[in-house]
């Protein structure tokens, strides 16, 4: 069985085998932890078997966040469609001449799977490009990059051939930093600029170090901090075996964020910029979010949604509508 031939019945039988129950007891929409009583150790075994049997990268199932059989099958199907190459740009429905391209940058410790399913909420003539940093997902064999400028270089090289049509950038948390720095790079080099830049759950750059330095925290403190922030599945933080696989990714990404030196007197970018955040985000205050107005000549305001630092996981459709409207109104 490969991702090209995997069926939901194959997965049903696999999960039933691990749980030692009959396949019909694994309903499509039954929640793994609540209804099937799958704990972190059983989930690790299921993930390992699925990854080995279906030929997807190690840790991919855990990172997907799938909580039902139907979600797991949809995820594996998307892997076949969206990850047929080993580059950092995943395009769920690639178009050669789209009306617009939207590049989406993920958070620290995350992957392009943050944006899984988003394509269906955007116009059909848009080409969504989900960026994947090295060291995770289908790029797991590549070394991690813990320096902001080097990751910007890596992404710049990858997306350069795709900048012929109008395009926009949207980044969440660490992804917002990367999207901003990549926009600065294009501006300084005289390259094509995005018609719009969206930054999510990330405060405007400022001089001086922040109080928290996650990349320096001991393991227990870091795991506790991640629990308080939200967004990481319990099976990742609560299971030692799973955590030790993902910890290097978190530490590398947090090193990138914590060691980045903000520009002393940045020139406002000639790009419309919108800010997005959760109303209950414990990491970023409103003053830091509104401070982005100094970094653009066209500040488009702050939009807040119910939720915490990972509010966007609950509001993909609303956020997609807001991004679509913002990009269209910013188009020349």
């Amino acid at each position: 069985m490969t991702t090209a031939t995997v069926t939901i019945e194959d997965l049903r039988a696999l999960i039933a085998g691990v749980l030692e129950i009959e396949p019909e007891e694994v309903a499509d929409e039954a929640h793994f932890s609540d209804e099937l009583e799958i704990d972190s150790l059983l989930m690790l075994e299921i993930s390992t078997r699925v990854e080995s049997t279906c030929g997807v990268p190690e840790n991919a199932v855990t990172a997907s966040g799938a909580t039902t059989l139907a979600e797991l099958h949809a995820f594996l199907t998307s892997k076949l469609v969206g990850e047929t190459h080993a580059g950092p740009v995943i395009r769920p429905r690639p178009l050669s001449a789209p009306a617009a391209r939207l590049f989406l940058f993920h958070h620290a410790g995350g992957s392009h799977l943050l944006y899984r399913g988003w394509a269906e909420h955007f116009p059909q003539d848009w080409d969504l490009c989900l960026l994947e940093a090295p060291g995770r997902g289908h790029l797991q064999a590549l070394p991690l990059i813990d320096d902001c400028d080097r990751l910007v270089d890596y992404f710049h090289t990858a997306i350069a051939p795709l900048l012929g049509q109008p395009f926009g950038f949207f980044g969440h948390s660490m992804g917002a930093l990367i999207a901003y720095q990549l926009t600065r790079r294009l501006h300084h080099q005289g390259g094509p600029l995005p018609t719009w830049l969206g930054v999510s759950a990330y405060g405007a750059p400022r001089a001086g170090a922040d109080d928290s330095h996650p990349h320096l925290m001991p393991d227990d403190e870091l795991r506790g901090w991640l629990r308080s922030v939200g967004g990481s599945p319990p099976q990742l933080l609560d299971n030692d075996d799973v955590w030790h696989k993902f910890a290097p990714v978190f530490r590398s990404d947090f090193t990138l964020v914590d060691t980045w030196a903000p520009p002393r007197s940045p020139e406002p970018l000639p790009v419309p910029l919108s800010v997005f955040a959760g109303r209950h985000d414990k990491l970023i205050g409103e003053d830091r979010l509104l401070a982005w107005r100094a970094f653009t000549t066209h500040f488009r305001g702050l939009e807040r949604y119910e939720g915490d630092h990972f509010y966007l996981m609950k509001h993909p459709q609303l956020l997609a509508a807001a991004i679509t409207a913002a990009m269209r109104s910013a188009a020349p």
Side-chain angles (χ1 to χ4, degrees):
M1 177 172 60
T2 67
T3 49
T5 61
V6 64
T7 68
I8 198 166
E9 296 306 323
D10 294 327
L11 294 174
R12 195 188 317 279
L14 185 151
I15 292 172
V18 173
L19 301 180
E20 298 182 350
I21 60 177
E22 294 300 319
E24 55 267 24
E25 297 181 58
V26 185
D28 290 8
E29 301 296 339
H31 194 277
F32 286 160
S33 59
D34 297 338
E35 298 173 69
L36 296 178
E37 298 182 348
I38 299 175
D39 60 19
S40 57
L41 288 176
L42 282 173
M43 194 63 212
L44 178 61
E45 183 176 352
I46 289 171
S47 301
T48 301
R49 289 197 190 186
V50 169
E51 290 157 1
S52 174
T53 303
C54 299
V56 295
E58 184 181 4
N59 300 329
V61 171
T62 302
S64 76
T67 59
T68 67
L69 174 62
E71 289 180 1
L72 179 58
H73 183 252
F75 162 69
L76 291 171
T77 302
S78 72
K79 295 286 287 185
L80 171 65
V81 174
E83 299 182 9
T84 56
H85 59 83
V89 185
I90 292 87
R91 300 162 68 191
R93 53 177 194 217
L95 299 173
S96 58
R101 281 198 171 98
L102 177 62
F103 295 89
L104 300 169
F105 301 83
H106 63 75
H107 58 292
S111 72
H112 78 279
L113 294 174
L114 176 67
Y115 302 109
R116 65 184 183 277
W118 276 41
E120 64 187 74
H121 301 307
F122 284 89
Q124 290 297 309
D125 58 356
W126 282 31
D127 186 4
L128 260 65
C129 301
L130 320 184
L131 276 294
E132 183 98 292
R136 68 211 76 202
H138 69 297
L139 299 181
Q140 190 173 24
L142 298 180
L144 294 160
I145 296 177
D146 63 1
D147 177 82
C148 184
D149 288 337
R150 287 199 294 117
L151 187 55
V152 168
D153 288 341
Y154 179 76
F155 284 151
H156 186 193
T157 299
I159 71 171
L162 298 174
L163 303 184
Q165 280 77 29
F167 65 94
F169 289 160
F170 176 87
H172 178 70
S173 199
M174 179 186 80
L177 168 59
I178 300 301
Y180 168 67
Q181 279 293 87
L182 185 49
T183 304
R184 290 185 69 226
R185 174 76 56 83
L186 293 171
H187 180 47
H188 291 160
Q189 294 183 355
L193 291 175
T195 58
W196 173 83
L197 169 63
V199 294
S200 168
Y202 191 81
R206 66 178 181 182
D210 288 334
D211 294 334
S212 64
H213 299 280
H215 78 290
L216 298 177
M217 293 179 180
D219 258 20
D220 288 346
E221 184 180 350
L222 179 56
R223 289 160 85 169
W225 184 84
L226 288 168
R227 286 189 189 93
S228 70
V229 171
S232 299
Q235 62 265 32
L236 187 156
L237 298 177
D238 296 341
N239 183 283
D240 289 342
D241 292 334
V242 177
W243 167 252
H244 289 310
K245 291 181 180 179
F246 282 91
V249 177
F250 281 104
R251 291 197 179 280
S252 175
D253 288 353
F254 287 137
T255 297
L256 183 154
V257 174
D258 291 345
T259 61
W260 176 67
R264 289 175 178 258
S265 300
E267 177 185 359
L269 293 170
V271 174
L273 186 151
S274 302
V275 184
F276 302 85
R279 288 193 176 95
H280 308 293
D281 191 335
K282 300 176 182 178
L283 296 181
I284 310 297
E286 186 169 314
D287 57 336
R288 290 284 309 281
L289 296 168
L290 291 174
W292 276 107
R293 60 163 51 96
F295 292 79
T296 173
T297 57
H298 306 285
F299 185 62
R300 305 299 293 272
L302 166 64
E303 294 193 29
R304 307 202 74 161
Y305 297 79
E306 283 302 316
D308 54 20
H309 192 66
F310 286 93
Y311 72 94
L312 75 175
M313 298 174 74
K314 298 180 180 179
H315 307 289
Q317 192 166 0
L318 287 176
L319 204 52
I323 292 171
T324 300
M327 278 190 62
R328 284 176 169 168
S329 65

